[in-house]
Amino acid sequence: MADPTLDIKRRMAALAGSAARILFPPLCGGCRTIVSIPGSLCGTCWRELRMIERPWCEILGTPFPVDMGEDAVSPAAIANPPAFDRARSAVAYTGVARRMVQALKFNDRTDLAPWMAVWMLRAGTELTAQADIVVPVPLHRRRFLWRRFNQSAELGRAVARASGLRFEPDLVKRRRHTLQQVGLGRTERDENVRGAFVVDKASREAIRGRRILLVDDVYTTGATVSSVARSLKRAGAGGVDVLTFARVLPEDFLDTATDPI
């Protein structure tokens, strides 16, 4: 015989859920119109989303226009090998993806991070399967105090929770305040973050021999994640892979752009 108390509790929970949906209906992550499922996009925003799919460069994760065969590597990765081992991104940094990143970063929309992480995990399945620790790209303490949170850490925390990996937000420190990368060209970005990150001696044992999954919100030229990857490898990391929500694809990038990220 069914427990009447349990049945009442279930009914009350259902009523509370219904009330919450009326008072706080789920909103589209891109335009904030009401949607039926939390963490989803409306039809208009969904059509704007450009998912990054295979075939792609096995190192840089940039998509190929045609299938180049298994383990194909792009000319860019051959000509200028990155400091990290592999990079993957969920979506192209255009349209609704750009709005979501900017909402998370500048409008305190930390509620978007778990849903963005779902798409990141889809793109980075092979990376999370081999990773030991999730590490976000750190903010300098001055910028952290101004912004009050690190958007990369919010994404990293969600990725780690969903994949069951260890999350270590403090293993890498940004030891000097850098200029914002917005508006900087490729060469300027490299110079801006050169030597900006360090792993202190107390953290090196946790990193030694481990495979690190480095998480950031947007991959533009790779300057920032490459600088962090170098510091991790100097500290003894067994490997460093990069997972970002969005990526500025070569055809979308302009050195003169005033708002690339």
Side-chain angles (χ1 to χ4, degrees):
M1 182 176 177
D3 184 347
T5 303
L6 184 59
D7 185 56
I8 290 171
K9 287 181 179 179
R10 285 175 178 166
R11 288 172 183 269
M12 290 178 66
L15 286 171
S18 298
R21 287 175 67 85
I22 293 170
L23 292 172
F24 306 103
L27 303 177
C28 170
C31 66
R32 303 201 38 96
T33 59
I34 295 176
V35 292
S36 57
I37 303 173
S40 62
L41 298 175
C42 69
T44 300
C45 287
W46 181 258
R47 287 191 291 273
E48 288 184 25
L49 200 67
R50 288 168 55 190
M51 306 293 287
I52 296 178
E53 307 274 5
R54 286 185 179 276
W56 55 43
C57 168
E58 285 300 313
I59 295 176
L60 294 178
T62 47
F64 290 130
V66 296
D67 192 346
M68 305 292 287
E70 190 175 356
D71 298 328
V73 176
S74 64
I78 295 170
N80 188 23
F84 52 81
D85 297 289
R86 297 170 295 180
R88 299 289 183 266
S89 301
V91 296
Y93 187 62
T94 59
V96 65
R98 177 191 290 256
R99 295 197 298 275
M100 291 177 72
V101 168
Q102 293 181 345
L104 169 63
K105 198 172 201 172
F106 302 119
N107 297 330
D108 297 345
R109 291 291 311 280
T110 54
D111 59 294
L112 293 175
W115 310 113
M116 295 163 77
V118 170
W119 294 337
M120 293 168 69
L121 288 166
R122 177 179 176 272
T125 301
E126 60 192 319
L127 307 189
T128 55
Q130 297 175 17
D132 298 305
I133 304 172
V134 175
V135 173
V137 171
L139 285 179
H140 188 269
R141 60 182 178 276
R142 188 188 307 174
R143 189 164 294 156
F144 182 85
L145 288 172
W146 173 72
R147 193 176 287 168
R148 304 187 306 280
F149 69 95
N150 176 1
Q151 74 281 353
S152 300
E154 295 298 319
L155 292 170
R157 184 179 293 104
V159 166
R161 185 181 296 120
S163 59
L165 293 169
R166 247 173 73 202
F167 178 58
E168 295 287 353
D170 299 318
L171 287 183
V172 182
K173 302 289 193 299
R174 191 183 288 249
R175 63 181 172 186
R176 63 180 175 82
H177 185 64
T178 56
L179 298 173
Q180 288 204 32
Q181 298 281 64
V182 175
L184 298 182
R186 296 171 190 266
T187 302
E188 293 171 311
R189 285 168 180 259
D190 289 336
E191 290 299 323
N192 186 40
V193 295
R194 192 181 304 280
F197 303 96
V198 65
V199 179
D200 58 38
K201 291 181 180 179
S203 299
R204 291 182 184 179
E205 192 55 40
I207 288 172
R208 197 177 311 280
R210 306 292 201 281
R211 190 159 198 95
I212 307 299
L213 183 64
L214 181 61
V215 171
D216 204 2
D217 54 350
V218 183
Y219 184 115
T220 305
T221 64
T224 300
V225 291
S226 289
S227 184
V228 180
R230 288 188 193 95
S231 70
L232 286 164
K233 288 191 173 182
R234 282 196 297 267
V240 180
D241 294 320
V242 174
L243 182 60
T244 68
F245 171 68
R247 185 188 186 105
V248 179
L249 297 176
E251 62 268 27
D252 297 327
F253 183 85
L254 294 174
D255 278 350
T256 55
T258 58
D259 186 28
I261 62 170

